[in-house]
């Protein structure tokens, strides 16, 4: 069934894959990005995006001039989505995943790059906000593998593994997923609704 889906951050690495995958599946996709004049931190833009779509996917990293702005913007979106019955899907980083069942989080390990710590902590706060939300908001939050990003795009294999709050790694201890397959996992969730009001992760 075709759905009206908005992708916020559509011109970014993952955003482009999400637009391509959703379009290939026959969904009606709206690309939302600052480069097209649509700033989702704006209340008017956020309200309109939620009103016009049944699913809103947020693929925006709080880095550069967006640091400190993504968390309140997603909270604002969540308020509109709860009122309008729109499903909100948020893509976070791998930093909030536990490296083992009892922790610690990846972001809290000595090896975690300092350059990515602020954005990782902000997205971890977004997850906390969603989990604490006591409205009727319909949401999911997905974290990628540790080695995910435009620096290592990979190929589309059509397969992936899913996990919960613990970082997934292969038998060699490597944690990776391509942009195309991560988008595949996200659109599968959009269509199949297996992680309602939950965080999950996807990797090979």
């Amino acid at each position: 069934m075709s759905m009206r889906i908005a992708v916020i951050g559509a011109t970014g690495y993952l955003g482009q894959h999400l637009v391509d995958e959703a379009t290939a599946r026959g969904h009606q996709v709206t690309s939302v990005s600052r480069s097209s004049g649509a700033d989702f931190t704006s209340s008017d833009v956020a309200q309109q995006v939620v009103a016009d779509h049944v699913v809103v996917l947020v693929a925006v990293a709080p880095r550069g001039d967006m640091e400190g702005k993504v968390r309140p913007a997603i909270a604002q979106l969540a308020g509109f989505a709860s009122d309008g019955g729109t499903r909100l899907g948020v893509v976070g980083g791998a930093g909030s995943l536990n490296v083992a069942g009892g922790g610690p989080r990846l972001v809290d390990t000595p090896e975690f790059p300092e350059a990515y710590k602020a954005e990782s902590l902000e997205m971890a706060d977004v997850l906390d906000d969603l989990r604490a939300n006591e409205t009727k908001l319909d949401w999911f939050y997905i974290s990628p593998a540790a080695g995910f990003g435009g620096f290592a795009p990979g190929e589309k294999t059509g397969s992936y593994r899913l996990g919960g709050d613990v970082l997934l790694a292969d038998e060699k201890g490597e944690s990776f997923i391509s942009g195309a397959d991560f988008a595949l996992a996200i659109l599968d969730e959009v269509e199949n609704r297996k992680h309602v009001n939950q965080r999950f992760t996807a990797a090979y």
Side-chain angles (χ1 to χ4, degrees):
M1 182 181 71
S2 177
M3 288 184 267
R4 298 189 314 279
I5 300 173
V7 177
I8 297 175
T11 57
Y13 169 64
L14 176 60
Q16 293 176 10
H17 284 293
L18 288 172
V19 170
D20 291 345
E21 182 65 29
T23 301
R25 296 183 184 213
H27 296 297
Q28 303 168 56
V29 185
T30 301
S31 298
V32 182
S33 66
R34 289 190 296 170
S35 60
S36 63
D39 183 354
F40 90 111
T41 66
S42 158
S43 176
D44 290 343
V45 170
Q47 194 164 13
Q48 193 63 54
V49 168
V50 168
D52 291 346
H53 301 88
V54 296
V55 178
V56 175
L57 301 175
V58 183
V60 178
R63 68 175 63 111
D65 66 343
M66 288 300 290
E67 184 177 332
K69 297 179 181 178
V70 173
R71 183 185 182 187
I74 290 176
Q76 178 175 253
L77 267 179
F80 294 137
S82 176
D83 293 341
T86 297
R87 192 172 195 209
L88 179 63
V90 176
V91 180
S96 60
L97 290 166
N98 293 332
V99 296
R105 299 181 304 178
L106 185 62
V107 68
D108 297 324
T109 61
E111 302 81 17
F112 194 84
E114 189 67 32
Y116 296 106
K117 189 163 286 188
E119 65 185 78
S120 184
L121 290 171
E122 184 169 344
M123 291 311 297
D125 287 340
V126 169
L127 176 59
D128 289 343
D129 291 344
L130 290 171
R131 285 175 164 166
N133 191 297
E134 295 182 349
T135 70
K136 57 185 179 182
L137 177 66
D138 182 354
W139 62 271
F140 70 87
Y141 181 110
I142 182 168
S143 293
F148 169 80
F151 56 87
E155 303 292 335
K156 186 172 185 177
T157 68
S159 65
Y160 56 84
R161 291 187 298 143
L162 294 179
D165 288 323
V166 178
L167 184 73
L168 292 176
D170 62 19
E171 63 277 2
K172 297 178 183 178
E174 297 174 348
S175 180
F176 175 72
I177 190 168
S178 71
D181 285 331
F182 194 51
L184 187 72
I186 293 169
L187 266 296
D188 282 351
E189 174 60 31
V190 167
E191 294 180 349
N192 300 320
R193 295 180 57 82
K194 292 187 176 180
H195 299 87
V196 178
N197 292 9
Q198 294 178 19
R199 187 265 286 277
F200 64 108
T201 184
Y204 292 136

